[in-house]
Amino acid sequence: MRKNICLVMACLAIGSAFAEAGKSGITDRQVSVVGFVDAGQLVRGSLVYGDGSEATTTPLEDLFLNRNGIALTYSGTLDERLRMNIGVGGLFYKPVASNPAHEPAEYKRISFGPGISEASAQYDFSRHLNVKFGFFGYKYNPDAVNLGEYLLRSEAYPGIIHTGSSGGWVWMNSNEYKSLGTKVSWTSLNGMLRHDFLMYSEFNDQPLFDFSPSYVATLKVMGAFEFGAGVSLHRWLPIQPSWTTPDDPQHSNTYVEVKNFPAYPALNSSLSHQSGFSGGTWKGMGSQITSYTYADGITHIATELHDASGGLLYEIVDSTGTPIDTLKASKTEKLTFKAIKLMGRASVDIASLLGMDGKSTGPFKAFVEVAVLGVQNQPYFYEKIQNRIPLMLGVDVPTFGILDLLCLQMEYFKNPYPDNSFQQFTNALPQPQLPGGNVAEYEDNLRAGVYDHDDLKWSLFVQKNLFTGLDLYAQVANDHLRVQNNLGEPSSMPLTQGKSDWYYMLRFQWSM
């Protein structure tokens, strides 16, 4: 029903705009064309399309990265108040196979992906108030060129951060969130304070089309300081509530607590991988409890049952398979994608404070952004809020005319789970993906410090205008870069996961 209402409203708005265009005509028509060529190399990294187990991980060195893109945009203004933008484009890219050394035939050809770069309309009620709707990008942090922009360009449960465009279609010079939605902007205090009220529909990550009401405020002080803050009610208006808070029949998304659960032995073999349990209250996801076995690797300790009211029960057996007890789950709770995300940022124009001429020195600024990706704790996976707080620091270094921009950014995100979107993308569950789906293997990796290697990210970004209409961009980074397979599906994990992983990328971009 909601989908139909949104479709009818969109059709009425578009029809009204065309009717007005027929009456008064469109002025200020413009057509722009932008093309680019990206070329670079993953010097060191790895590729994961699956669950992050050894079988799905391919170490990579000196992998050539290249893609070409183009976008054609038409814009026009109606009655000096309604401005419309329509953009289409395409991307030529080479899919990256799970094992590039032995890639199948479908990976040995160039793929093409057409798309809409923008389809939006903005109506100016006054110079202080406007509304924009359609498919368009939004950027609240003008200083962030790669890392940052966490409020909208991230997931909370699980904690997934993107760089470039979501899904990895655009690798660099695209630090914004782009989706279908509406934005109302209002400025006050002579333009010093701007309020952005946003209603975006999720267009990139599962579950699709959930609406997230958001608010972002930006305050400029004394010409040298800028402060920003925002809140996003992430997925609070779901299209399908049972997708946003999954109620799967296998209870893999249901947290349970079972008292007096018996001890079971550790088992590490080709058959299974589990940790020993000393007995007492068992805590975890419902589907995990039925996966534990005795030392033979065959006999399951617990089998899931239900009482007359549908409550969870577990039949416990001994090592011979003989039933010995029936235990009831004392607590059950479904995990959800819904979250309250917060953001705060600040920047200082050092050149302005020192009385330097920014045009001759180039940008000289320092900036910071911090976010909370989910204020609420959820059981088992998300019990510590400090594990959901990314912090980004950046500085624009003056080059005195040699470059137009030289920006260094650093990010710290103490996420104790793999930066893996497989569980969300494939199974649409609000959970981190554990290697092989195995809790014990994950805990072994956690104790070994495997998931500390990607806590620190960094990026060096350079921009230089070569000629009118021709720009050069360069980026060297260890960030959240993802690539596509032959089906257009993004890699589950970034190419750079270890401390010593990095890549470099050049872009030549022309416009007319």
Side-chain angles (χ1 to χ4, degrees), residues 69 92 110 120 127 177 191 198 253 285 305 324 353 396 443 488:
F92 290 96
I110 301 298
S120 68
R127 64 188 184 93
Y177 179 76
L198 310 163
N253 191 54
M285 306 309 293
L305 302 174
I324 57 176
L353 287 180
D396 294 337
E443 291 178 347

Side-chain angles (χ1 to χ4, degrees), residues 127-130 185-195:
R127 64 188 184 93
H128 299 293
L129 178 65
N130 64 68
S185 294
W186 169 50
T187 59
S188 58
L189 302 179
N190 294 322
M192 293 175 54
L193 180 60
R194 188 183 77 244
H195 310 266

Side-chain angles (χ1 to χ4, degrees), residues 421-467:
S421 60
F422 182 79
Q423 186 77 294
Q424 180 180 10
F425 184 86
T426 304
N427 300 319
L429 292 178
Q431 300 176 16
Q433 175 60 51
L434 307 184
N438 194 295
V439 177
E441 185 176 348
Y442 160 74
E443 291 178 347
D444 288 345
N445 290 346
L446 183 66
R447 286 190 290 268
V450 172
Y451 307 118
D452 296 336
H453 297 167
D454 64 349
D455 290 351
L456 186 64
K457 297 293 187 180
W458 56 269
S459 171
L460 180 65
F461 182 87
V462 168
Q463 178 181 349
K464 175 65 177 179
N465 177 251
L466 302 177
F467 306 100

Side-chain angles (χ1 to χ4, degrees), residues 205-369:
D205 299 316
Q206 298 288 342
L208 297 176
F209 306 125
D210 285 353
F211 285 92
S212 301
S214 307
Y215 167 74
V216 176
T218 302
L219 177 64
K220 297 181 179 180
V221 181
M222 299 172 57
F225 299 94
E226 184 170 300
F227 303 93
V231 56
S232 177
L233 303 181
H234 186 59
R235 301 183 181 276
W236 271 45
L237 299 178
I239 292 295
Q240 188 72 34
S242 61
W243 296 348
T244 306
T245 306
D247 185 15
D248 60 295
Q250 288 76 33
H251 294 101
S252 57
N253 191 54
T254 303
Y255 168 80
V256 299
E257 292 184 7
V258 182
K259 295 181 178 179
N260 302 319
F261 194 78
Y264 60 86
L267 176 65
N268 291 276
S269 69
S270 59
L271 297 175
S272 183
H273 187 124
Q274 65 183 24
S275 298
F277 184 72
S278 59
T281 301
W282 185 93
K283 301 179 180 181
M285 306 309 293
S287 61
Q288 295 172 7
I289 197 171
T290 58
S291 67
Y292 296 113
T293 69
Y294 284 101
D296 59 7
I298 299 175
T299 307
H300 289 268
I301 295 174
T303 302
E304 182 180 301
L305 302 174
H306 298 86
D307 59 22
S309 61
L312 276 176
L313 296 174
Y314 294 96
E315 183 181 69
I316 309 301
V317 301
D318 61 19
S319 59
T320 66
T322 303
I324 57 176
D325 201 357
T326 300
L327 302 178
K328 184 174 183 178
S330 58
K331 179 179 180 180
T332 62
E333 181 177 340
K334 298 181 184 66
L335 302 187
T336 180
F337 285 105
K338 290 175 62 175
I340 299 176
K341 298 193 292 185
L342 304 177
M343 178 277 300
R345 68 177 188 88
S347 70
V348 54
D349 190 333
I350 301 174
S352 177
L353 287 180
L354 299 179
M356 301 169 63
D357 182 7
K359 293 183 179 180
S360 60
T361 64
F364 188 15
K365 302 178 70 175
F367 50 94
V368 60
E369 180 178 343

Side-chain angles (χ1 to χ4, degrees), residues 29-314:
R29 290 184 175 90
Q30 295 180 0
V31 177
S32 62
V33 181
V34 176
F36 65 86
V37 174
D38 289 344
Q41 187 178 57
L42 176 67
V43 178
R44 180 186 174 92
S46 57
L47 178 64
V48 176
Y49 278 121
D51 57 19
S53 61
E54 291 185 5
T56 63
T57 301
T58 303
L60 297 174
E61 288 187 0
D62 302 327
L63 176 68
F64 180 64
L65 300 172
N66 171 247
R67 55 184 42 183
N68 308 322
I70 188 171
L72 173 67
T73 303
Y74 168 82
S75 62
T77 302
L78 177 65
D79 292 337
E80 299 182 350
R81 287 183 178 270
L82 180 62
R83 183 168 182 82
M84 293 167 284
N85 295 279
I86 302 173
V88 295
L91 185 72
F92 290 96
Y93 68 99
K94 185 180 184 300
V96 181
S98 298
N99 188 348
H102 303 283
E103 59 184 9
E106 58 266 28
Y107 286 87
K108 295 181 180 180
R109 60 177 66 98
I110 301 298
S111 299
F112 177 74
I116 298 175
S117 57
E118 183 166 348
S120 68
Q122 177 175 311
Y123 187 82
D124 297 327
F125 294 96
S126 69
R127 64 188 184 93
H128 299 293
L129 178 65
N130 64 68
V131 59
K132 188 173 185 177
F133 60 91
F135 181 75
F136 60 97
Y138 176 73
K139 182 175 175 60
Y140 60 79
N141 190 342
D143 303 307
V145 295
N146 186 18
L147 303 170
E149 292 280 340
Y150 300 121
L151 186 65
L152 303 178
R153 205 176 54 155
S154 66
E155 282 292 333
Y157 312 116
I160 302 295
I161 293 176
H162 297 285
T163 48
S165 65
S166 297
W169 288 106
V170 182
W171 288 336
M172 61 183 298
N173 197 33
S174 180
N175 190 354
E176 65 177 6
Y177 179 76
K178 182 172 286 188
S179 189
L180 186 69
T182 301
K183 173 177 71 75
V184 177
S185 294
W186 169 50
T187 59
S188 58
L189 302 179
N190 294 322
M192 293 175 54
L193 180 60
R194 188 183 77 244
H195 310 266
D196 291 333
F197 302 90
L198 310 163
M199 179 71 79
Y200 271 113
S201 174
E202 179 53 52
F203 211 70
N204 302 291
D205 299 316
Q206 298 288 342
L208 297 176
F209 306 125
D210 285 353
F211 285 92
S212 301
S214 307
Y215 167 74
V216 176
T218 302
L219 177 64
K220 297 181 179 180
V221 181
M222 299 172 57
F225 299 94
E226 184 170 300
F227 303 93
V231 56
S232 177
L233 303 181
H234 186 59
R235 301 183 181 276
W236 271 45
L237 299 178
I239 292 295
Q240 188 72 34
S242 61
W243 296 348
T244 306
T245 306
D247 185 15
D248 60 295
Q250 288 76 33
H251 294 101
S252 57
N253 191 54
T254 303
Y255 168 80
V256 299
E257 292 184 7
V258 182
K259 295 181 178 179
N260 302 319
F261 194 78
Y264 60 86
L267 176 65
N268 291 276
S269 69
S270 59
L271 297 175
S272 183
H273 187 124
Q274 65 183 24
S275 298
F277 184 72
S278 59
T281 301
W282 185 93
K283 301 179 180 181
M285 306 309 293
S287 61
Q288 295 172 7
I289 197 171
T290 58
S291 67
Y292 296 113
T293 69
Y294 284 101
D296 59 7
I298 299 175
T299 307
H300 289 268
I301 295 174
T303 302
E304 182 180 301
L305 302 174
H306 298 86
D307 59 22
S309 61
L312 276 176
L313 296 174
Y314 294 96

